[in-house]
Amino acid sequence: GSVMVADNTTGWDMLQGGGKGVRGYVAQEALKSVAPRELAEKPAAKILQSSAKKSERANAEAAALDAEVQAASENSIALRGLKGYNFNAAIKVGPFDLPHPGGSGNLLENTSFTLTPGRRYALIGRNGRGKSTLLRNIAARRCGGLAEAVRTHYVAQDVKLSAGALDQTPAEVVLNADVERRVLLEEAQRLEGCTAVEDNERYKACLSQLDAIDAGTAAVRAKQLLVNLGFNEELLGRTMKALSG
């Protein structure tokens, strides 16, 4: 009886519910219990949305950085015969800041280092501390002081194949990974038949360098490398998108 009294009079008036009796009271209580959950879900949704945007920015930055690494590698090959540059001198890089790929401040600030020819260096640090990010930025020439003519070769941890590469055979992918060979062949083809003295000299230099790197046997060596890794003739004949794993 007391519940019904509260329901029908003061208790219900305080709730300002839309309905009468016990059913209306229970419905209002249910709505009150749902509201906090909805309020809690809204911040969670915002967090997920913010995380997705950060991930999208990080992926776009990674793609741009990969493109810069590739362009820098090709450019260094084109500048191989640059006159007046001493490739035996120490390389001084910096000072520079290394931004976090996700946009959360800097991984390094006001950093400098020197590389001496003939020495080997190891970059040591825990996972996620920016070792790969630093190497990629160096290869992309984002760290001031590294001359464009200095060749770098960055070996990525994860390889993302383009749509065109997925239609190639494993041997073709290996051949295209030889940036120096590809760039020299393209330049030699472009300069073939040129009559200008400077172009003719550059053409001869390209042919000489292609001979020096044994470009003529590159296809055979690429196939042998894959055979040594366990590729049989059937796998060598497949396209990359037809391979699993």
Side-chain angles (χ1 to χ4, degrees), residues 84-91 115-119 150:
Y85 185 82
N86 182 9
F87 287 93
N88 294 318
I91 299 174
L115 301 175
T116 303
R119 293 186 179 181
V150 175

Short mmCIF file of all heavy atoms in Angstrom, two decimals, residues 84-91 115-119 150:
data_model
loop_
_atom_site.label_atom_id
_atom_site.label_comp_id
_atom_site.label_asym_id
_atom_site.label_seq_id
_atom_site.Cartn_x
_atom_site.Cartn_y
_atom_site.Cartn_z
N GLY A 84 83.39 17.34 -56.54
CA GLY A 84 83.64 18.23 -55.41
C GLY A 84 83.16 17.70 -54.09
O GLY A 84 83.31 18.37 -53.07
N TYR A 85 82.58 16.49 -54.07
CA TYR A 85 82.11 15.94 -52.80
C TYR A 85 83.08 14.85 -52.34
O TYR A 85 83.41 13.94 -53.10
CB TYR A 85 80.70 15.37 -52.91
CG TYR A 85 80.16 14.90 -51.57
CD1 TYR A 85 79.60 15.82 -50.69
CD2 TYR A 85 80.25 13.57 -51.18
CE1 TYR A 85 79.13 15.42 -49.46
CE2 TYR A 85 79.79 13.16 -49.94
CZ TYR A 85 79.22 14.09 -49.08
OH TYR A 85 78.77 13.69 -47.86
N ASN A 86 83.50 14.94 -51.09
CA ASN A 86 84.44 13.98 -50.52
C ASN A 86 83.67 12.88 -49.78
O ASN A 86 83.15 13.09 -48.69
CB ASN A 86 85.41 14.68 -49.57
CG ASN A 86 86.44 13.73 -49.00
OD1 ASN A 86 86.55 12.58 -49.43
ND2 ASN A 86 87.22 14.20 -48.04
N PHE A 87 83.58 11.68 -50.41
CA PHE A 87 82.82 10.59 -49.81
C PHE A 87 83.61 9.90 -48.69
O PHE A 87 83.10 9.00 -48.04
CB PHE A 87 82.44 9.56 -50.88
CG PHE A 87 81.35 10.04 -51.81
CD1 PHE A 87 81.68 10.67 -53.00
CD2 PHE A 87 80.03 9.89 -51.48
CE1 PHE A 87 80.69 11.11 -53.85
CE2 PHE A 87 79.03 10.35 -52.31
CZ PHE A 87 79.35 10.96 -53.51
N ASN A 88 84.85 10.30 -48.48
CA ASN A 88 85.66 9.71 -47.41
C ASN A 88 85.66 10.56 -46.14
O ASN A 88 86.29 10.19 -45.15
CB ASN A 88 87.10 9.52 -47.90
CG ASN A 88 87.20 8.50 -49.02
OD1 ASN A 88 86.55 7.46 -48.97
ND2 ASN A 88 88.00 8.80 -50.03
N ALA A 89 84.99 11.68 -46.18
CA ALA A 89 84.95 12.57 -45.01
C ALA A 89 83.90 12.09 -44.02
O ALA A 89 82.95 11.39 -44.35
CB ALA A 89 84.65 14.00 -45.45
N ALA A 90 84.08 12.50 -42.76
CA ALA A 90 83.09 12.17 -41.73
C ALA A 90 81.77 12.86 -42.03
O ALA A 90 81.74 13.97 -42.57
CB ALA A 90 83.61 12.58 -40.36
N ILE A 91 80.69 12.20 -41.69
CA ILE A 91 79.35 12.75 -41.94
C ILE A 91 78.78 13.27 -40.62
O ILE A 91 78.62 12.51 -39.66
CB ILE A 91 78.43 11.67 -42.53
CG1 ILE A 91 78.97 11.18 -43.87
CG2 ILE A 91 77.02 12.22 -42.70
CD1 ILE A 91 78.19 10.01 -44.44
N LEU A 115 79.21 10.29 -38.15
CA LEU A 115 79.54 8.97 -38.69
C LEU A 115 80.91 9.04 -39.36
O LEU A 115 81.12 9.84 -40.26
CB LEU A 115 78.48 8.51 -39.70
CG LEU A 115 77.04 8.41 -39.17
CD1 LEU A 115 76.10 8.06 -40.32
CD2 LEU A 115 76.94 7.38 -38.06
N THR A 116 81.82 8.20 -38.89
CA THR A 116 83.18 8.17 -39.43
C THR A 116 83.34 7.01 -40.40
O THR A 116 82.98 5.87 -40.05
CB THR A 116 84.20 8.02 -38.28
OG1 THR A 116 84.01 9.10 -37.35
CG2 THR A 116 85.62 8.06 -38.82
N PRO A 117 83.82 7.25 -41.61
CA PRO A 117 84.01 6.17 -42.59
C PRO A 117 84.89 5.05 -42.04
O PRO A 117 85.85 5.29 -41.31
CB PRO A 117 84.70 6.88 -43.76
CG PRO A 117 84.28 8.30 -43.63
CD PRO A 117 84.20 8.56 -42.16
N GLY A 118 84.52 3.82 -42.36
CA GLY A 118 85.29 2.67 -41.91
C GLY A 118 84.83 2.07 -40.60
O GLY A 118 85.29 1.00 -40.21
N ARG A 119 83.91 2.74 -39.93
CA ARG A 119 83.41 2.23 -38.65
C ARG A 119 81.98 1.71 -38.79
O ARG A 119 81.25 2.15 -39.67
CB ARG A 119 83.44 3.33 -37.58
CG ARG A 119 84.84 3.78 -37.20
CD ARG A 119 84.79 4.75 -36.04
NE ARG A 119 86.12 5.19 -35.65
CZ ARG A 119 86.37 6.03 -34.65
NH1 ARG A 119 85.36 6.53 -33.95
NH2 ARG A 119 87.61 6.38 -34.35
N VAL A 150 75.01 11.13 -50.64
CA VAL A 150 75.38 9.99 -49.80
C VAL A 150 74.29 8.92 -49.92
O VAL A 150 73.12 9.19 -49.68
CB VAL A 150 75.53 10.41 -48.33
CG1 VAL A 150 75.79 9.19 -47.45
CG2 VAL A 150 76.66 11.40 -48.19
#
